[in-house]
Amino acid sequence: MPIYGKQHFFMLACWPAVFNKTLFRGLAPAGSRIRMKSLAAIAAARARVEPRMVRRHWNPWSRMSFPTTKARSMKARRIRRGRGRGYRKAILINEHFVVYGVPAVAVPLFRPVLAAVTAREGPGLQVLIRSKPGEEARASSDPNLLQAVRNILARCGLSGEETLIRMECRGFLPGWSGLGSSAAFCVASARALSQAFHLSWSDEQVNAAAYEGEKVFARNPSGIDNSVSTFGRVLWYCRGQAEPWQFLSPGAPFWFVIANTGIPSLTRDQIEKVARFRETHPSRFQELCRQASDLALRVRSGLETGMPADLGRWMDQGHHMLCEIGASSHEVEGLVEHCRSRGALGAKLTGAGGGGCVIALVRSRARGRNLTQSLRDLGYGAFSVRVGDPVRVPAHSL
Ligand code: MEV
């Protein structure tokens, strides 16, 4: 016995419009006369077999699934929209060394960059940035952002000249360098463009496109930043391998404090500085790379077995090596010392260094809160994060 619901009465009320649309396409030739009773019986039968589909087509309030005019669907076809997100990251061990094929370990942070794309016919590319919620989005004057989007568009087979693309980004933390904001921007943009142009990119394809964008900011990036940003997982990353990343599962949650020196630094300048050290001290650099590889293995096992005290010690050792290759600065040293003197188990620069951020491992959430407060009292930006739970990256959502 068929059960009739509200939707069936709606169907009866507007049956001539519905008749020519998808629901009854193929059931009867357009314009033929069908008795109301049999129409309702067919609808009821389909409701039982395909309840989801019928709900979608019968929902009178859904603009998307029930376009009322031809003009609306034409417009929808011409304007393409897409959204995406990319996560920031912190490197636990071996930034810079990772550029030369040494394994590194990085963790995602719950601080995403969000991108929304609108594309229509016509030339032009515009990147708008909104730093804080509620703030008006402003056109970015940074040529690197535009070039990064152009590189990603090239992976889509577009030049950006024939399509007017408006990319709006949220979640930028101005001045928080070292946390992979540029990579997160590239990942968010790649996801948004993939959605807008119906490319259905896999995470691997998003990652590869984001790497093309990231090259603008770091010139010779290892790929670790965009990989963590894409997958939102704790990563072991080794450049040059066929599959450079492996996902790690921490044995316990760890608490970290991220503190900002407030000194901006450019990744590509820092990479070049380290390249100069490598040129002038080739054998010492080789020896440091060997030590860094051992350290990465220890950090990996410390994470997987959930041993914070050991992990802290190895972070200190990693920082010491980064100082030797010239990646630290006076300001970074000041923050690292402050964190250690306030009970951090270990502290180091994170990212390219020279300024930017510092990461400190603490024993508990409460200690993280105390350290964060002490840093804020001194005027530094700081926040604490728990690492160990995977960040879920919904493929195409804001
Ligand atoms: C920057 O977050 C990390 C560096 O090692 C550069 C890179 O790996 O691409 C400095």
Side-chain angles (χ1 to χ4, degrees):
M1 177 69 187
I3 299 166
Y4 298 108
K6 258 194 303 197
Q7 67 269 42
H8 304 133
F9 291 106
F10 174 75
M11 175 67 193
L12 289 176
C14 57
W15 78 271
V18 176
F19 187 72
N20 287 323
K21 291 197 181 289
T22 331
L23 183 65
F24 287 95
R25 196 169 292 149
L27 287 182
S32 76
R33 288 173 64 84
I34 285 189
R35 280 178 23 236
M36 293 287 180
K37 206 174 146 194
S38 58
L39 193 68
I42 293 164
R46 287 194 81 146
R48 280 199 304 279
V49 178
E50 296 167 302
R52 277 251 237 56
M53 176 201 155
V54 171
R55 217 177 302 132
R56 192 158 63 85
H57 283 285
W58 282 49
N59 180 359
W61 314 119
S62 162
R63 281 193 309 142
M64 293 298 289
S65 56
F66 205 77
T68 50
T69 64
K70 200 173 174 192
R72 187 184 288 156
S73 59
M74 291 278 288
K75 198 169 153 211
R77 237 177 281 141
R78 264 188 278 124
I79 301 176
R80 296 158 182 273
R81 293 175 204 281
R83 291 169 164 203
R85 71 168 70 196
Y87 286 95
R88 291 196 174 74
K89 61 87 188 77
I91 297 184
L92 283 192
I93 204 74
N94 287 349
E95 44 274 269
H96 288 294
F97 294 106
V98 68
V99 173
Y100 300 96
V102 173
V105 177
V107 298
L109 302 174
F110 291 88
R111 295 281 191 290
V113 170
L114 311 167
V117 161
T118 323
R120 41 189 112 204
E121 280 163 31
L125 172 62
Q126 203 183 15
V127 176
L128 304 170
I129 300 293
R130 183 180 308 182
S131 302
K132 290 185 199 133
E135 198 179 75
E136 208 181 302
R138 275 194 233 127
S140 166
S141 55
D142 186 348
N144 291 332
L145 292 181
L146 287 171
Q147 189 52 49
V149 176
R150 278 200 194 97
N151 286 8
I152 298 167
L153 278 169
R155 293 288 291 215
C156 306
L158 296 165
S159 67
E161 304 309 324
E162 73 275 11
T163 319
L164 173 61
I165 292 181
R166 190 174 186 269
M167 172 88 70
E168 191 175 319
C169 278
R170 283 194 284 137
F172 263 72
L173 299 173
W176 285 77
S177 41
L179 302 187
S181 296
S182 61
F185 167 80
C186 293
V187 169
S189 305
R191 282 197 200 287
L193 288 167
S194 158
Q195 190 183 48
F197 292 100
H198 305 292
L199 302 173
S200 307
W201 276 346
S202 64
D203 277 349
E204 284 75 10
Q205 287 169 305
V206 166
N207 195 19
Y211 181 75
E212 294 304 312
E214 180 65 350
K215 277 183 189 168
V216 176
F217 300 96
R219 222 165 268 153
N220 177 26
S222 62
I224 188 170
D225 289 12
N226 46 284
S227 300
V228 184
S229 180
T230 301
F231 297 110
R233 303 272 303 267
V234 181
L235 281 198
W236 167 271
Y237 189 88
C238 190
R239 185 183 199 178
Q241 309 248 316
E243 181 111 320
W245 58 83
Q246 285 173 31
F247 300 134
L248 302 184
S249 303
F254 291 87
W255 282 95
F256 294 97
V257 171
I258 309 280
N260 186 7
T261 59
I263 313 282
S265 82
L266 283 179
T267 304
R268 60 169 173 252
D269 292 352
Q270 287 294 106
I271 290 183
E272 274 163 23
K273 194 171 175 193
V274 172
R276 282 197 295 278
F277 177 91
R278 181 169 172 257
E279 263 167 42
T280 46
H281 307 86
S283 54
R284 179 64 188 148
F285 192 78
Q286 217 178 339
E287 171 58 19
L288 286 171
C289 285
R290 200 193 51 72
Q291 290 176 19
S293 296
D294 291 348
L295 207 50
L297 285 170
R298 291 195 199 122
V299 165
R300 178 182 181 149
S301 83
L303 260 182
E304 288 179 333
T305 51
M307 309 274 274
D310 290 347
L311 187 57
R313 198 151 29 88
W314 294 320
M315 283 170 65
D316 284 347
Q317 220 170 306
H319 180 71
H320 191 68
M321 287 162 60
L322 288 166
C323 289
E324 189 173 340
I325 60 174
S328 190
S329 68
H330 182 66
E331 292 79 8
V332 168
E333 289 310 299
L335 269 191
V336 165
E337 274 317 308
H338 177 84
C339 294
R340 287 179 188 155
S341 69
R342 289 298 180 120
L345 297 170
K348 63 180 278 293
L349 68 84
T350 187
C357 292
V358 157
I359 183 166
L361 176 65
V362 288
R363 210 172 268 286
S364 64
R365 177 188 205 140
R367 296 215 179 185
R369 219 181 286 134
N370 290 346
L371 178 55
T372 303
Q373 196 50 55
S374 74
L375 287 157
R376 287 185 182 158
D377 291 346
L378 291 173
Y380 294 107
F383 60 90
S384 60
V385 281
R386 180 180 141 127
V387 165
D389 321 296
V391 176
R392 268 191 348 105
V393 186
H396 300 301
S397 64
L398 269 189

